[in-house]
Amino acid sequence: MLETTSLLPNGLSVEAARAEAARTYELDRAHVFHSWSAQAEISPMTIVASEGCHVWDGDGNRLLDFSSMLVNTNIGHQHPKVVAAIAEQAAKLCTVAPQHANDARSEAARLIAERTPGELNKVFFTNGGADAVEHAVRMARLHTGRYKVLARYRSYHGGTETAINLTGDPRRWPNDHGNAGVVHFSGPFLYRSQFHATTEAEESERALAHLENLIRMEGPSTIAAIILESIPGTAGIMVPPAGYLAGVRALCDEYGIV
Ligand SMILES: Cc1ncc(COP(=O)(O)O)c(C=O)c1O
């Protein structure tokens, strides 16, 4: 906590913010169901304003947001250019059905395609991460005619049926009946090495050997896809050793896996 201010960046006085926050909290506890939580055990912090790298809580305290909200506000809260772009688009066109072309979507697709490698030139826009994972897996299964998907332990892929079954943390267990076609493997993480490695190079080499062994034992002709967070986030920030991701790519190419 840094300090208590008298006026919030959105112009609210601390007293007004407190009153608003009390009402917000009461309604939240009465009606809002929060994800991944035992509902009776939680006491959500109310956020009444944000700016740059700070958020203000319901008591008017200015807090440094070390987690960038959900590790996603990388350019800071309420960036004026983002706020202006949202307002401009809302004034112009609030919604468009998937079958129509639209300037904002066309331009976003172009910007993404410019940055994706090689022949990755088409963008399929979804509503969020889990949705994207579900579609990617279905596409991989249709394309390969295979069913299994390999995913690593200590990963998070989303809260929908396939995505939660791909997830490699305990949030999967209540929904895992062993019939989702998912097989999990261990990724490299020298700090808690599963492979008794002492160097990054050894960890990478052994993690790749473990993955290749799993592919062979499961049967390459049954495996549609491997899904991998390049750097896992919510399951722990585990940066892969040099060469690991390229090694996984090479295994996919060798065994016809997407
Ligand atoms: C790597 C990864 N995949 C998928 C998801 C799921 O995204 P969403 O919550 O938008 O469905 C997340 C969310 O944290 C994620 O970190």
Side-chain angles (χ1 to χ4, degrees):
M1 186 194 309
L2 295 178
E3 62 180 5
T4 304
T5 48
S6 57
L7 214 58
L8 276 53
N10 55 12
L12 276 184
S13 70
V14 170
E15 292 69 36
R18 269 204 194 108
E20 186 187 294
R23 172 89 176 132
T24 300
Y25 187 81
E26 189 186 313
L27 291 176
D28 180 284
R29 297 293 56 222
H31 303 297
V32 177
F33 192 96
H34 286 265
S35 57
W36 305 122
S37 310
Q39 303 299 303
E41 304 295 321
I42 56 173
S43 173
M45 179 169 78
T46 303
I47 307 282
V48 291
S50 63
E51 188 180 59
C53 57
H54 294 113
V55 296
W56 279 256
D57 72 6
D59 290 319
N61 296 312
R62 186 170 75 125
L63 306 162
L64 186 54
D65 182 5
F66 273 111
S67 64
S68 300
M69 199 47 65
L70 195 63
V71 284
N72 64 332
T73 51
N74 300 331
I75 59 167
H77 292 278
Q78 303 296 113
H79 192 291
K81 283 190 179 173
V82 174
V83 173
I86 291 171
E88 192 188 323
Q89 183 60 43
K92 188 176 174 184
L93 187 68
C94 276
T95 187
V96 65
Q99 68 266 32
H100 303 303
N102 160 257
D103 62 345
R105 188 169 52 207
S106 295
E107 186 59 12
R110 181 188 71 81
L111 288 168
I112 294 167
E114 255 180 27
R115 286 157 177 79
T116 48
E119 293 173 350
L120 289 177
N121 276 326
K122 293 272 189 178
V123 183
F124 180 41
F125 290 97
T126 64
N127 293 314
D131 192 350
V133 168
E134 296 280 335
H135 281 94
V137 168
R138 279 167 53 197
M139 287 177 181
R141 284 174 171 163
L142 287 168
H143 176 71
T144 59
R146 307 169 177 181
Y147 193 73
K148 278 183 210 161
V149 181
L150 307 190
R152 67 180 271 177
Y153 288 112
R154 303 194 67 177
S155 63
Y156 182 70
H157 295 295
T160 52
E161 184 65 16
T162 303
I164 194 62
N165 270 279
L166 291 164
T167 289
D169 80 18
R171 284 176 285 186
R172 179 184 80 251
W173 298 346
N175 302 285
D176 186 347
H177 309 292
N179 60 357
V182 177
V183 181
H184 286 95
F185 62 95
S186 293
F189 185 42
L190 187 61
Y191 184 66
R192 296 191 194 285
S193 178
Q194 302 285 300
F195 308 109
H196 311 286
T198 52
T199 65
E200 293 281 351
E202 211 172 52
E203 181 74 359
S204 179
E205 189 186 311
R206 292 179 185 184
L208 287 169
H210 157 72
L211 180 57
E212 180 159 24
N213 187 52
L214 187 80
I215 291 169
R216 287 191 179 157
M217 292 297 131
E218 287 295 327
S221 64
T222 70
I223 301 167
I226 296 178
I227 185 166
L228 201 57
E229 293 161 275
S230 49
I231 300 175
T234 54
I237 313 294
M238 293 169 282
V239 180
Y244 179 73
L245 292 177
V248 176
R249 173 77 261 163
L251 287 174
C252 287
D253 291 343
E254 186 177 346
Y255 294 104
I257 296 168
V258 174

